Every structure is written in structure tokens, then in C-alpha cells.
Amino acid sequence: MQKEIDIKVKDSLAQDLQKGVPVLLKDGFHETDSLVDGTILKLRNPGGKFIGKGYVGKQNKGIGWLLTKNEAETIDTGFFQNKITNALKHRKDYYENDDTTAFRVFNGEGDGIGGLTIDYFDEFYLLSWYSEGIYAFKEQILKALESAVPSYKGIYEKKRFDTKGQYLEDDDFVKGERGEFPLLVKENGENFAIYLNDGAMVGVFLDQREVRKKIRDEYAKGKTVLNTFSYTGAFSVFAAAGGAKKTTSVDLAKRSLSKTTEQFEINGINVEEQDIIVMDVFDYFKYAKRKELSFDMVILDPPSFARSKKYTFSSAKDYTKLLMDAIAITEKNGVIVASTNNATFGMKKFKTFVEKAFNESNRKYVIEDEFSLPSDFRTSPLFKEGNYLKVLFIRAK
């Protein structure tokens, strides 16, 4: 059993926790150096009144997460099983949909346990641990998952609690049977090749599911599509499946060539008819301008922060400039799909980047569609950073 200690917090944090704010912010404590990851905290207000139980799991600005406001509740296998069972009920429709066999089953604080996510990939489960604190509960959580799900083939994990939430290298297999990789999963009828045993990323970002479907069903037909920061080409696959005239996928990572090729091939899409370019996106924009290339649709889904030999990109500072680069090579009446997963600003601020970029480019625009996280990525209304995804479909006049 994890150690449990009584601790008084500052009034500001006590008030937040009483409202149900799930994160234990560092500045709400008088002293945090002695707090050990995995310790259960009985949190009390300055007057000594019980306000909740949480655990120590250092992650970003938080030193842990609130788990329950019930003093009698024990943080054990049964506790985790209740949380996971409740989460599964919210994903019932996903389990029953044969067209989509990859989705999020448990989304951290949105499902009541900050620092833990669980994804489902066609009978395989992937647990991601975001702090050493939550990893301390691994055995209880595994037992809870096994009891809550009717059956599974195998369980994998990603340890993401090195400093700054970096991934810790491992083969990631936990129990059950080892997968045969690539594992083919479906998303709205298209295929993705997934690797649960090969580094931090598995091959697709599940939170963009609705955006990909929109591109395929309503925007791609007959269009030339540029997919920047393309990773394994998931947006390109959906654009091609929607009848795009041609897709161009650009990413700096050398692996993007073989990975994108693979995604096209498993969907029966002729790779020869698509362009896959390994190049710094910022250099590609310069190249496209020089060659007077233009596209009917440009997809921008950069990482929040990226550094290459020549450039440093921060979405909070540089997104306006990135949009201007995209506008310069977007056809009249073309569409820019602008996306960011930066949790430090909201949709309102994101829209100011768009306005500024179009004003400075002397182009008019209309926002036609907007997306945030899909329903399997449950969020807490009291933790705005958890609802990080912002996507806009912008018609460039």
C-alpha cells in the first residue's frame, strides 16, 4: 500500500479543490521538496478541515492530482476499477463500432485520474504513465483494468515521466500476448499501421479522428493537398481516400518516408501518385514559393515546440508566421486546416493568430469549421489545459 500523509494546503488551493479542480499546483503548498512520488495526500485546508485525497506525481506545474473528495474512500485496486469501469461506459459506442477500432478508453483527469491515459488498439491496451507518482500504482491499475475489461489480447505501456515528460526507452510490453506489428487498426473505415513496441509514438494521433473524417468526407475531392509536419501521413491518407487529386506530405523526420508509404499501401492507395518529401517544413515553404507552387488545401499540425538545425518553432510565438507561409501558397478560395495542441492558450487566442496572419497577408478569410477533442478524450471543465486541441478550417478568399 502507498504511504498516506496529512498535509495542509494554502487557502487558494483549498478553494480550488473544493470546486473540484483536479490538479495540485505546486504554489498551493507551503513546501514540496519532501513530498515523495506516489504518496497519497490527505489534503486539509488551513483550518485543518479535510477537503480531498490526492497523490504526488510531479508533472509540469503540478505536483500531483486530486483523486477523491470522500475521506472514507481507500485508494486501492477497487478505487481504480470503479474509475475504469465508469470510463468504459462512456466509450460503449466506440467498442460497438466496427469501423473504428482505435480510441481512447481513459483520459487522465477527464476520467478522474490525472497522469494516466489508456488507449485501445483492436484488443490491445496501451497505458501511458505521465509521472513516477502514478507509475507507483501500476500493479493496482493493471489489476483494475483486467477486471474492468471483458477480454484483451495484450497490454503495453509508455513511461513518459523522464524530466519534462520525455519517453523512457523500453520495449513497452507488459502482459498478455505480444502483438504482431504493424497492428492494423481501423478509423472510420480507413486503416492505420500501429507499433506499440517502437518508441514513444505509435503511428497515429487519435485526437484528430474527427478532423481527418471531415477532410475526407467534405473537403478533399479533386483537390491538391499539402500536409505539413505530416508524421506518418494520416491526414494524407484520409485526403487521398476522399478523392484528392494529389497529396504532398512534408516532414523533417527520415522515417516519415517509409511510415507514410506504409500507411498508403495498407489502404490500397497508389504511392507513386503521391509526393512524400523529407524536408524541413520551413525550407519547403521557401521552395514552394520559389517554384510558384500552390495548393487547394494546406494542413498545418505542428508540434507545440520544435527545433531543427536552422529553426526553432514555438506555436505560442510563431504560429502567425507559419500561417502566413501557408497563406502564400494557398490557392484563391483554398482551405487551410490550422491545428495546435498547445495547452497554454485557448481557441480565442488561436483565432487572433489567424486574424493577424490574414491581415498581414492582405487576404480575407472565413472560418468554416472548428474542432476540439473528440468525445473519447473526456476533459474536466475545471482544468482548461486538458482540453488542448484547437483546429480551424479556414477558407482563404
PDB file of all heavy atoms in Angstrom, residues 291-323:
ATOM      1  N   LYS A 291       9.260  28.075 -56.484  1.00  0.00           N
ATOM      2  CA  LYS A 291       8.812  27.309 -57.658  1.00  0.00           C
ATOM      3  C   LYS A 291       7.380  27.685 -58.065  1.00  0.00           C
ATOM      4  O   LYS A 291       6.801  27.057 -58.945  1.00  0.00           O
ATOM      5  CB  LYS A 291       8.859  25.804 -57.350  1.00  0.00           C
ATOM      6  CG  LYS A 291      10.254  25.268 -57.115  1.00  0.00           C
ATOM      7  CD  LYS A 291      10.992  25.073 -58.425  1.00  0.00           C
ATOM      8  CE  LYS A 291      12.347  24.434 -58.201  1.00  0.00           C
ATOM      9  NZ  LYS A 291      13.151  24.413 -59.404  1.00  0.00           N
ATOM     10  N   GLU A 292       6.807  28.654 -57.321  1.00  0.00           N
ATOM     11  CA  GLU A 292       5.426  29.101 -57.583  1.00  0.00           C
ATOM     12  C   GLU A 292       4.421  27.947 -57.504  1.00  0.00           C
ATOM     13  O   GLU A 292       3.505  27.840 -58.318  1.00  0.00           O
ATOM     14  CB  GLU A 292       5.336  29.838 -58.932  1.00  0.00           C
ATOM     15  CG  GLU A 292       6.151  31.122 -58.918  1.00  0.00           C
ATOM     16  CD  GLU A 292       6.048  31.928 -60.201  1.00  0.00           C
ATOM     17  OE1 GLU A 292       5.369  31.468 -61.139  1.00  0.00           O
ATOM     18  OE2 GLU A 292       6.648  33.013 -60.252  1.00  0.00           O
ATOM     19  N   LEU A 293       4.619  27.087 -56.527  1.00  0.00           N
ATOM     20  CA  LEU A 293       3.656  26.000 -56.287  1.00  0.00           C
ATOM     21  C   LEU A 293       2.525  26.543 -55.427  1.00  0.00           C
ATOM     22  O   LEU A 293       2.739  27.408 -54.587  1.00  0.00           O
ATOM     23  CB  LEU A 293       4.321  24.844 -55.527  1.00  0.00           C
ATOM     24  CG  LEU A 293       5.556  24.195 -56.137  1.00  0.00           C
ATOM     25  CD1 LEU A 293       6.090  23.109 -55.197  1.00  0.00           C
ATOM     26  CD2 LEU A 293       5.238  23.595 -57.499  1.00  0.00           C
ATOM     27  N   SER A 294       1.315  26.032 -55.669  1.00  0.00           N
ATOM     28  CA  SER A 294       0.220  26.405 -54.770  1.00  0.00           C
ATOM     29  C   SER A 294      -0.720  25.210 -54.608  1.00  0.00           C
ATOM     30  O   SER A 294      -0.729  24.296 -55.441  1.00  0.00           O
ATOM     31  CB  SER A 294      -0.538  27.628 -55.276  1.00  0.00           C
ATOM     32  OG  SER A 294      -1.098  27.348 -56.530  1.00  0.00           O
ATOM     33  N   PHE A 295      -1.494  25.230 -53.539  1.00  0.00           N
ATOM     34  CA  PHE A 295      -2.330  24.084 -53.163  1.00  0.00           C
ATOM     35  C   PHE A 295      -3.754  24.534 -52.841  1.00  0.00           C
ATOM     36  O   PHE A 295      -3.968  25.648 -52.378  1.00  0.00           O
ATOM     37  CB  PHE A 295      -1.731  23.374 -51.934  1.00  0.00           C
ATOM     38  CG  PHE A 295      -0.352  22.831 -52.181  1.00  0.00           C
ATOM     39  CD1 PHE A 295       0.777  23.635 -52.012  1.00  0.00           C
ATOM     40  CD2 PHE A 295      -0.178  21.515 -52.613  1.00  0.00           C
ATOM     41  CE1 PHE A 295       2.055  23.141 -52.256  1.00  0.00           C
ATOM     42  CE2 PHE A 295       1.106  21.017 -52.850  1.00  0.00           C
ATOM     43  CZ  PHE A 295       2.210  21.825 -52.677  1.00  0.00           C
ATOM     44  N   ASP A 296      -4.689  23.619 -53.086  1.00  0.00           N
ATOM     45  CA  ASP A 296      -6.094  23.909 -52.736  1.00  0.00           C
ATOM     46  C   ASP A 296      -6.327  23.778 -51.233  1.00  0.00           C
ATOM     47  O   ASP A 296      -7.239  24.367 -50.680  1.00  0.00           O
ATOM     48  CB  ASP A 296      -7.044  22.919 -53.438  1.00  0.00           C
ATOM     49  CG  ASP A 296      -6.920  22.970 -54.946  1.00  0.00           C
ATOM     50  OD1 ASP A 296      -6.871  24.092 -55.483  1.00  0.00           O
ATOM     51  OD2 ASP A 296      -6.851  21.891 -55.581  1.00  0.00           O
ATOM     52  N   MET A 297      -5.503  22.951 -50.600  1.00  0.00           N
ATOM     53  CA  MET A 297      -5.652  22.742 -49.158  1.00  0.00           C
ATOM     54  C   MET A 297      -4.281  22.582 -48.526  1.00  0.00           C
ATOM     55  O   MET A 297      -3.441  21.826 -49.027  1.00  0.00           O
ATOM     56  CB  MET A 297      -6.493  21.491 -48.895  1.00  0.00           C
ATOM     57  CG  MET A 297      -6.656  21.158 -47.438  1.00  0.00           C
ATOM     58  SD  MET A 297      -7.654  19.666 -47.227  1.00  0.00           S
ATOM     59  CE  MET A 297      -9.004  20.352 -46.350  1.00  0.00           C
ATOM     60  N   VAL A 298      -4.049  23.295 -47.414  1.00  0.00           N
ATOM     61  CA  VAL A 298      -2.789  23.168 -46.673  1.00  0.00           C
ATOM     62  C   VAL A 298      -3.144  22.784 -45.236  1.00  0.00           C
ATOM     63  O   VAL A 298      -3.952  23.455 -44.588  1.00  0.00           O
ATOM     64  CB  VAL A 298      -1.976  24.479 -46.690  1.00  0.00           C
ATOM     65  CG1 VAL A 298      -0.695  24.325 -45.871  1.00  0.00           C
ATOM     66  CG2 VAL A 298      -1.632  24.894 -48.127  1.00  0.00           C
ATOM     67  N   ILE A 299      -2.541  21.701 -44.766  1.00  0.00           N
ATOM     68  CA  ILE A 299      -2.790  21.227 -43.398  1.00  0.00           C
ATOM     69  C   ILE A 299      -1.578  21.567 -42.534  1.00  0.00           C
ATOM     70  O   ILE A 299      -0.443  21.200 -42.855  1.00  0.00           O
ATOM     71  CB  ILE A 299      -3.066  19.704 -43.387  1.00  0.00           C
ATOM     72  CG1 ILE A 299      -4.312  19.393 -44.222  1.00  0.00           C
ATOM     73  CG2 ILE A 299      -3.249  19.198 -41.952  1.00  0.00           C
ATOM     74  CD1 ILE A 299      -4.469  17.923 -44.594  1.00  0.00           C
ATOM     75  N   LEU A 300      -1.840  22.283 -41.437  1.00  0.00           N
ATOM     76  CA  LEU A 300      -0.783  22.691 -40.507  1.00  0.00           C
ATOM     77  C   LEU A 300      -1.064  22.066 -39.149  1.00  0.00           C
ATOM     78  O   LEU A 300      -2.001  22.467 -38.464  1.00  0.00           O
ATOM     79  CB  LEU A 300      -0.790  24.218 -40.325  1.00  0.00           C
ATOM     80  CG  LEU A 300      -0.544  25.122 -41.522  1.00  0.00           C
ATOM     81  CD1 LEU A 300      -0.747  26.581 -41.102  1.00  0.00           C
ATOM     82  CD2 LEU A 300       0.863  24.932 -42.064  1.00  0.00           C
ATOM     83  N   ASP A 301      -0.259  21.098 -38.766  1.00  0.00           N
ATOM     84  CA  ASP A 301      -0.418  20.498 -37.433  1.00  0.00           C
ATOM     85  C   ASP A 301       0.967  20.355 -36.798  1.00  0.00           C
ATOM     86  O   ASP A 301       1.465  19.251 -36.612  1.00  0.00           O
ATOM     87  CB  ASP A 301      -1.132  19.145 -37.544  1.00  0.00           C
ATOM     88  CG  ASP A 301      -1.434  18.546 -36.180  1.00  0.00           C
ATOM     89  OD1 ASP A 301      -1.512  19.317 -35.199  1.00  0.00           O
ATOM     90  OD2 ASP A 301      -1.575  17.318 -36.081  1.00  0.00           O
ATOM     91  N   PRO A 302       1.584  21.512 -36.463  1.00  0.00           N
ATOM     92  CA  PRO A 302       2.956  21.456 -35.943  1.00  0.00           C
ATOM     93  C   PRO A 302       2.991  21.004 -34.486  1.00  0.00           C
ATOM     94  O   PRO A 302       1.991  21.107 -33.776  1.00  0.00           O
ATOM     95  CB  PRO A 302       3.408  22.923 -36.040  1.00  0.00           C
ATOM     96  CG  PRO A 302       2.141  23.698 -35.836  1.00  0.00           C
ATOM     97  CD  PRO A 302       1.060  22.885 -36.500  1.00  0.00           C
ATOM     98  N   PRO A 303       4.151  20.510 -34.027  1.00  0.00           N
ATOM     99  CA  PRO A 303       4.286  20.276 -32.581  1.00  0.00           C
ATOM    100  C   PRO A 303       4.249  21.628 -31.866  1.00  0.00           C
ATOM    101  O   PRO A 303       4.500  22.663 -32.483  1.00  0.00           O
ATOM    102  CB  PRO A 303       5.652  19.611 -32.458  1.00  0.00           C
ATOM    103  CG  PRO A 303       6.381  19.976 -33.709  1.00  0.00           C
ATOM    104  CD  PRO A 303       5.377  20.218 -34.768  1.00  0.00           C
ATOM    105  N   SER A 304       3.932  21.621 -30.558  1.00  0.00           N
ATOM    106  CA  SER A 304       3.912  22.885 -29.804  1.00  0.00           C
ATOM    107  C   SER A 304       5.275  23.552 -29.831  1.00  0.00           C
ATOM    108  O   SER A 304       5.386  24.770 -29.855  1.00  0.00           O
ATOM    109  CB  SER A 304       3.527  22.624 -28.350  1.00  0.00           C
ATOM    110  OG  SER A 304       2.186  22.253 -28.284  1.00  0.00           O
ATOM    111  N   PHE A 305       6.314  22.703 -29.817  1.00  0.00           N
ATOM    112  CA  PHE A 305       7.674  23.234 -29.828  1.00  0.00           C
ATOM    113  C   PHE A 305       8.534  22.306 -30.670  1.00  0.00           C
ATOM    114  O   PHE A 305       8.429  21.089 -30.546  1.00  0.00           O
ATOM    115  CB  PHE A 305       8.228  23.319 -28.397  1.00  0.00           C
ATOM    116  CG  PHE A 305       9.560  24.004 -28.335  1.00  0.00           C
ATOM    117  CD1 PHE A 305       9.637  25.391 -28.305  1.00  0.00           C
ATOM    118  CD2 PHE A 305      10.737  23.271 -28.327  1.00  0.00           C
ATOM    119  CE1 PHE A 305      10.883  26.034 -28.266  1.00  0.00           C
ATOM    120  CE2 PHE A 305      11.977  23.904 -28.287  1.00  0.00           C
ATOM    121  CZ  PHE A 305      12.040  25.289 -28.256  1.00  0.00           C
ATOM    122  N   ALA A 306       9.331  22.877 -31.557  1.00  0.00           N
ATOM    123  CA  ALA A 306      10.203  22.038 -32.387  1.00  0.00           C
ATOM    124  C   ALA A 306      11.514  22.769 -32.643  1.00  0.00           C
ATOM    125  O   ALA A 306      11.540  23.992 -32.775  1.00  0.00           O
ATOM    126  CB  ALA A 306       9.516  21.732 -33.715  1.00  0.00           C
ATOM    127  N   ARG A 307      12.582  21.983 -32.724  1.00  0.00           N
ATOM    128  CA  ARG A 307      13.882  22.588 -33.028  1.00  0.00           C
ATOM    129  C   ARG A 307      14.570  21.751 -34.096  1.00  0.00           C
ATOM    130  O   ARG A 307      14.681  20.542 -33.970  1.00  0.00           O
ATOM    131  CB  ARG A 307      14.733  22.627 -31.752  1.00  0.00           C
ATOM    132  CG  ARG A 307      16.083  23.290 -31.972  1.00  0.00           C
ATOM    133  CD  ARG A 307      16.917  23.344 -30.708  1.00  0.00           C
ATOM    134  NE  ARG A 307      16.594  24.517 -29.913  1.00  0.00           N
ATOM    135  CZ  ARG A 307      16.311  24.483 -28.622  1.00  0.00           C
ATOM    136  NH1 ARG A 307      16.301  23.343 -27.980  1.00  0.00           N
ATOM    137  NH2 ARG A 307      16.047  25.589 -27.963  1.00  0.00           N
ATOM    138  N   SER A 308      14.977  22.408 -35.177  1.00  0.00           N
ATOM    139  CA  SER A 308      15.795  21.721 -36.187  1.00  0.00           C
ATOM    140  C   SER A 308      17.141  22.454 -36.213  1.00  0.00           C
ATOM    141  O   SER A 308      17.365  23.373 -35.427  1.00  0.00           O
ATOM    142  CB  SER A 308      15.117  21.782 -37.556  1.00  0.00           C
ATOM    143  OG  SER A 308      15.109  23.113 -38.034  1.00  0.00           O
ATOM    144  N   LYS A 309      18.029  22.053 -37.132  1.00  0.00           N
ATOM    145  CA  LYS A 309      19.353  22.689 -37.170  1.00  0.00           C
ATOM    146  C   LYS A 309      19.234  24.201 -37.397  1.00  0.00           C
ATOM    147  O   LYS A 309      19.989  24.984 -36.844  1.00  0.00           O
ATOM    148  CB  LYS A 309      20.196  22.062 -38.288  1.00  0.00           C
ATOM    149  CG  LYS A 309      20.800  20.728 -37.849  1.00  0.00           C
ATOM    150  CD  LYS A 309      21.587  20.087 -38.959  1.00  0.00           C
ATOM    151  CE  LYS A 309      22.020  18.683 -38.549  1.00  0.00           C
ATOM    152  NZ  LYS A 309      22.288  17.837 -39.696  1.00  0.00           N
ATOM    153  N   LYS A 310      18.277  24.590 -38.243  1.00  0.00           N
ATOM    154  CA  LYS A 310      18.182  26.003 -38.629  1.00  0.00           C
ATOM    155  C   LYS A 310      17.102  26.789 -37.895  1.00  0.00           C
ATOM    156  O   LYS A 310      17.189  27.999 -37.778  1.00  0.00           O
ATOM    157  CB  LYS A 310      17.909  26.091 -40.139  1.00  0.00           C
ATOM    158  CG  LYS A 310      19.084  25.647 -40.968  1.00  0.00           C
ATOM    159  CD  LYS A 310      19.102  26.226 -42.375  1.00  0.00           C
ATOM    160  CE  LYS A 310      17.934  25.847 -43.217  1.00  0.00           C
ATOM    161  NZ  LYS A 310      18.152  25.924 -44.653  1.00  0.00           N
ATOM    162  N   TYR A 311      16.065  26.100 -37.460  1.00  0.00           N
ATOM    163  CA  TYR A 311      14.911  26.836 -36.934  1.00  0.00           C
ATOM    164  C   TYR A 311      14.487  26.347 -35.554  1.00  0.00           C
ATOM    165  O   TYR A 311      14.633  25.176 -35.234  1.00  0.00           O
ATOM    166  CB  TYR A 311      13.690  26.666 -37.859  1.00  0.00           C
ATOM    167  CG  TYR A 311      13.939  27.027 -39.295  1.00  0.00           C
ATOM    168  CD1 TYR A 311      14.205  26.039 -40.243  1.00  0.00           C
ATOM    169  CD2 TYR A 311      13.905  28.360 -39.717  1.00  0.00           C
ATOM    170  CE1 TYR A 311      14.447  26.357 -41.573  1.00  0.00           C
ATOM    171  CE2 TYR A 311      14.133  28.694 -41.050  1.00  0.00           C
ATOM    172  CZ  TYR A 311      14.410  27.694 -41.970  1.00  0.00           C
ATOM    173  OH  TYR A 311      14.642  28.016 -43.276  1.00  0.00           O
ATOM    174  N   THR A 312      13.931  27.279 -34.786  1.00  0.00           N
ATOM    175  CA  THR A 312      13.245  26.910 -33.549  1.00  0.00           C
ATOM    176  C   THR A 312      11.811  27.392 -33.712  1.00  0.00           C
ATOM    177  O   THR A 312      11.586  28.550 -34.104  1.00  0.00           O
ATOM    178  CB  THR A 312      13.893  27.587 -32.331  1.00  0.00           C
ATOM    179  OG1 THR A 312      15.244  27.156 -32.266  1.00  0.00           O
ATOM    180  CG2 THR A 312      13.204  27.171 -31.054  1.00  0.00           C
ATOM    181  N   PHE A 313      10.861  26.518 -33.470  1.00  0.00           N
ATOM    182  CA  PHE A 313       9.450  26.889 -33.630  1.00  0.00           C
ATOM    183  C   PHE A 313       8.714  26.721 -32.308  1.00  0.00           C
ATOM    184  O   PHE A 313       8.803  25.674 -31.671  1.00  0.00           O
ATOM    185  CB  PHE A 313       8.785  25.999 -34.696  1.00  0.00           C
ATOM    186  CG  PHE A 313       7.291  26.207 -34.804  1.00  0.00           C
ATOM    187  CD1 PHE A 313       6.778  27.252 -35.556  1.00  0.00           C
ATOM    188  CD2 PHE A 313       6.395  25.373 -34.125  1.00  0.00           C
ATOM    189  CE1 PHE A 313       5.400  27.462 -35.642  1.00  0.00           C
ATOM    190  CE2 PHE A 313       5.024  25.574 -34.208  1.00  0.00           C
ATOM    191  CZ  PHE A 313       4.528  26.620 -34.969  1.00  0.00           C
ATOM    192  N   SER A 314       8.009  27.765 -31.895  1.00  0.00           N
ATOM    193  CA  SER A 314       7.135  27.681 -30.722  1.00  0.00           C
ATOM    194  C   SER A 314       5.759  28.140 -31.172  1.00  0.00           C
ATOM    195  O   SER A 314       5.609  29.253 -31.691  1.00  0.00           O
ATOM    196  CB  SER A 314       7.662  28.599 -29.618  1.00  0.00           C
ATOM    197  OG  SER A 314       6.593  29.041 -28.818  1.00  0.00           O
ATOM    198  N   SER A 315       4.740  27.270 -31.029  1.00  0.00           N
ATOM    199  CA  SER A 315       3.409  27.624 -31.554  1.00  0.00           C
ATOM    200  C   SER A 315       2.853  28.875 -30.893  1.00  0.00           C
ATOM    201  O   SER A 315       2.155  29.659 -31.522  1.00  0.00           O
ATOM    202  CB  SER A 315       2.440  26.452 -31.438  1.00  0.00           C
ATOM    203  OG  SER A 315       2.379  25.987 -30.119  1.00  0.00           O
ATOM    204  N   ALA A 316       3.191  29.104 -29.620  1.00  0.00           N
ATOM    205  CA  ALA A 316       2.675  30.297 -28.936  1.00  0.00           C
ATOM    206  C   ALA A 316       3.234  31.582 -29.560  1.00  0.00           C
ATOM    207  O   ALA A 316       2.553  32.593 -29.634  1.00  0.00           O
ATOM    208  CB  ALA A 316       3.015  30.233 -27.452  1.00  0.00           C
ATOM    209  N   LYS A 317       4.486  31.510 -30.068  1.00  0.00           N
ATOM    210  CA  LYS A 317       5.127  32.716 -30.617  1.00  0.00           C
ATOM    211  C   LYS A 317       5.076  32.773 -32.146  1.00  0.00           C
ATOM    212  O   LYS A 317       4.991  33.849 -32.730  1.00  0.00           O
ATOM    213  CB  LYS A 317       6.606  32.747 -30.201  1.00  0.00           C
ATOM    214  CG  LYS A 317       6.862  33.048 -28.735  1.00  0.00           C
ATOM    215  CD  LYS A 317       8.341  33.471 -28.572  1.00  0.00           C
ATOM    216  CE  LYS A 317       8.828  33.296 -27.146  1.00  0.00           C
ATOM    217  NZ  LYS A 317       9.306  31.932 -26.870  1.00  0.00           N
ATOM    218  N   ASP A 318       5.174  31.621 -32.795  1.00  0.00           N
ATOM    219  CA  ASP A 318       5.467  31.600 -34.238  1.00  0.00           C
ATOM    220  C   ASP A 318       4.316  31.128 -35.137  1.00  0.00           C
ATOM    221  O   ASP A 318       4.496  31.000 -36.340  1.00  0.00           O
ATOM    222  CB  ASP A 318       6.693  30.704 -34.499  1.00  0.00           C
ATOM    223  CG  ASP A 318       7.898  31.145 -33.678  1.00  0.00           C
ATOM    224  OD1 ASP A 318       8.127  32.361 -33.585  1.00  0.00           O
ATOM    225  OD2 ASP A 318       8.593  30.272 -33.121  1.00  0.00           O
ATOM    226  N   TYR A 319       3.135  30.869 -34.559  1.00  0.00           N
ATOM    227  CA  TYR A 319       2.068  30.301 -35.404  1.00  0.00           C
ATOM    228  C   TYR A 319       1.600  31.291 -36.473  1.00  0.00           C
ATOM    229  O   TYR A 319       1.292  30.904 -37.599  1.00  0.00           O
ATOM    230  CB  TYR A 319       0.883  29.837 -34.547  1.00  0.00           C
ATOM    231  CG  TYR A 319       0.148  28.673 -35.188  1.00  0.00           C
ATOM    232  CD1 TYR A 319       0.309  27.379 -34.712  1.00  0.00           C
ATOM    233  CD2 TYR A 319      -0.679  28.844 -36.307  1.00  0.00           C
ATOM    234  CE1 TYR A 319      -0.332  26.297 -35.313  1.00  0.00           C
ATOM    235  CE2 TYR A 319      -1.319  27.774 -36.914  1.00  0.00           C
ATOM    236  CZ  TYR A 319      -1.143  26.509 -36.417  1.00  0.00           C
ATOM    237  OH  TYR A 319      -1.771  25.444 -37.022  1.00  0.00           O
ATOM    238  N   THR A 320       1.569  32.586 -36.135  1.00  0.00           N
ATOM    239  CA  THR A 320       1.132  33.599 -37.113  1.00  0.00           C
ATOM    240  C   THR A 320       2.018  33.555 -38.352  1.00  0.00           C
ATOM    241  O   THR A 320       1.533  33.540 -39.484  1.00  0.00           O
ATOM    242  CB  THR A 320       1.156  35.003 -36.474  1.00  0.00           C
ATOM    243  OG1 THR A 320       0.268  34.985 -35.352  1.00  0.00           O
ATOM    244  CG2 THR A 320       0.700  36.067 -37.448  1.00  0.00           C
ATOM    245  N   LYS A 321       3.330  33.487 -38.114  1.00  0.00           N
ATOM    246  CA  LYS A 321       4.297  33.428 -39.236  1.00  0.00           C
ATOM    247  C   LYS A 321       4.104  32.145 -40.051  1.00  0.00           C
ATOM    248  O   LYS A 321       4.152  32.158 -41.282  1.00  0.00           O
ATOM    249  CB  LYS A 321       5.720  33.514 -38.644  1.00  0.00           C
ATOM    250  CG  LYS A 321       6.849  33.192 -39.596  1.00  0.00           C
ATOM    251  CD  LYS A 321       7.169  34.369 -40.523  1.00  0.00           C
ATOM    252  CE  LYS A 321       8.392  34.133 -41.372  1.00  0.00           C
ATOM    253  NZ  LYS A 321       8.205  33.157 -42.452  1.00  0.00           N
ATOM    254  N   LEU A 322       3.874  31.040 -39.360  1.00  0.00           N
ATOM    255  CA  LEU A 322       3.626  29.765 -40.047  1.00  0.00           C
ATOM    256  C   LEU A 322       2.388  29.875 -40.946  1.00  0.00           C
ATOM    257  O   LEU A 322       2.392  29.425 -42.093  1.00  0.00           O
ATOM    258  CB  LEU A 322       3.437  28.650 -39.007  1.00  0.00           C
ATOM    259  CG  LEU A 322       3.150  27.243 -39.531  1.00  0.00           C
ATOM    260  CD1 LEU A 322       4.362  26.682 -40.270  1.00  0.00           C
ATOM    261  CD2 LEU A 322       2.763  26.304 -38.387  1.00  0.00           C
ATOM    262  N   LEU A 323       1.336  30.486 -40.410  1.00  0.00           N
ATOM    263  CA  LEU A 323       0.106  30.688 -41.201  1.00  0.00           C
ATOM    264  C   LEU A 323       0.375  31.566 -42.422  1.00  0.00           C
ATOM    265  O   LEU A 323      -0.133  31.290 -43.509  1.00  0.00           O
ATOM    266  CB  LEU A 323      -0.975  31.339 -40.336  1.00  0.00           C
ATOM    267  CG  LEU A 323      -1.883  30.386 -39.562  1.00  0.00           C
ATOM    268  CD1 LEU A 323      -2.670  31.144 -38.502  1.00  0.00           C
ATOM    269  CD2 LEU A 323      -2.854  29.662 -40.498  1.00  0.00           C
TER     270      LEU A 323
END
